[in-house]
Amino acid sequence: MLLSLKNISVHYKKAIALENVSLEVAEGSVVAIIGANGSGKSTILRTVSGLKRLTSGEILFQGKRIDGLTPYQIVRNGITHIPEGRRLFPYLTVLSNLKLGAVLRKDEIAVQKDMDEVFKHFPKLWGLRHQKAITLSGGEQAMLAIGRGLMSNPKLIMMDEPSIGLAPIIVDELVPVIKNINKKGVSVLLIEQNVPLALEVAHYVYALQLGKIVLSSDGEELKSNDIIKEAYLGG
């Protein structure tokens, strides 16, 4: 198993954000976590990436515990986190943002190869490479955030609400992007409130409610689940 969360609990001061959450991401898979705002979805990613400490439980990546490592050590291990809102460097160029994604890497030839791959994924970014990130549209910023994440050469890329703030036509374009990234051998852990998008791309889905996993199954099965249809798919 690539990533395993085993009975993790997380608190913000006295408030519990996650309670005994267990989930797995198999190598080569796309796993989605769905749920309402405040359900704890983003806390899972922040905890995996070392930005938030566990209260209890353990996190294993490729069979080794990573809870307790610093964020940069976790990136070195092969995990990239694309946070909600993209969090680009707004006054740096597209090219500079991409290069910062590879800041921990030393092999310049491999970095350039991955840069070329990013521009194959997102050809529009090539024409915008000298523009500052703040001048880009929402869809272009989403492309850049994903591209920057790929520049760290991850084994697992974690995306927090990549569709947020995007027009429906741009959201539709995320489906082939996520599938193509996965076909290149990168596993994906996706946080999404856009449940149709999540079910379209995910091999396996967890539903989170008030910090607890309340449902889990493969994406196709959940499409016909009455609870999911009523709560997320408009009946």
Side-chain angles (χ1 to χ4, degrees):
M1 193 59 60
L2 184 66
L3 178 71
S4 298
L5 278 60
K6 297 188 175 183
N7 298 312
I8 70 165
S9 294
V10 176
H11 286 75
Y12 287 94
K13 296 184 179 179
K14 293 184 178 181
I16 189 161
L18 298 172
E19 184 175 1
N20 294 322
V21 168
S22 296
L23 62 83
E24 295 181 326
V25 179
E27 189 167 356
S29 69
V30 178
V31 173
I33 304 173
I34 61 176
N37 276 337
S39 60
K41 303 188 306 297
S42 294
T43 299
I44 289 177
L45 299 198
R46 288 176 57 81
T47 305
V48 172
S49 62
L51 298 172
K52 185 66 183 170
R53 295 295 182 185
L54 291 176
T55 302
S56 61
E58 58 184 28
I59 301 172
L60 290 86
F61 187 68
Q62 296 185 305
K64 298 179 181 179
R65 286 191 68 168
I66 61 170
D67 50 283
L69 297 183
T70 63
Y72 87 85
Q73 289 173 321
I74 289 169
V75 173
R76 280 192 185 278
N77 273 273
I79 299 176
T80 289
H81 180 184
I82 301 173
E84 183 180 350
R86 270 77 83 173
R87 302 293 181 89
L88 299 170
F89 295 93
Y91 298 105
L92 296 182
T93 64
V94 166
L95 199 57
S96 294
N97 270 276
L98 291 174
K99 288 179 178 178
L100 282 169
V103 71
L104 296 179
R105 301 175 63 187
K106 304 300 181 185
D107 187 337
E108 293 183 7
I109 294 175
V111 168
Q112 185 57 55
K113 182 180 177 181
D114 286 344
M115 182 80 75
D116 294 340
E117 281 295 315
V118 168
F119 287 129
K120 286 180 183 177
H121 274 302
F122 307 113
K124 192 171 185 180
L125 290 182
W126 173 254
L128 301 169
R129 65 191 183 279
H130 298 304
Q131 285 189 213
K132 292 180 179 179
I134 197 172
T135 68
L136 305 184
S137 69
E140 291 161 354
Q141 289 186 6
M143 293 177 198
L144 179 54
I146 295 171
R148 185 181 62 182
L150 291 171
M151 286 301 297
S152 69
N153 190 31
K155 300 179 182 75
L156 172 68
I157 191 164
M158 304 192 300
M159 303 182 184
D160 193 347
E161 304 278 11
S163 71
I164 196 166
L166 301 182
I169 191 170
I170 304 299
V171 172
D172 290 341
E173 293 176 4
L174 284 175
V175 172
V177 166
I178 294 170
K179 288 183 175 180
N180 286 338
I181 288 170
N182 184 236
K183 285 179 182 177
K184 294 284 186 180
V186 181
S187 302
V188 180
L189 180 56
L190 173 69
I191 301 293
E192 258 302 339
Q193 277 191 291
N194 186 322
V195 175
L197 169 63
L199 296 181
E200 180 69 23
V201 300
H203 301 114
Y204 202 83
V205 180
Y206 293 89
L208 197 66
Q209 189 175 70
L210 298 176
K212 296 180 181 180
I213 300 291
V214 293
L215 199 63
S216 63
S217 186
D218 66 73
E220 285 301 317
E221 185 176 325
L222 282 187
K223 286 180 183 178
S224 59
N225 183 283
D226 289 340
I227 296 173
I228 294 297
K229 286 197 290 186
E230 184 176 346
Y232 299 111
L233 300 176

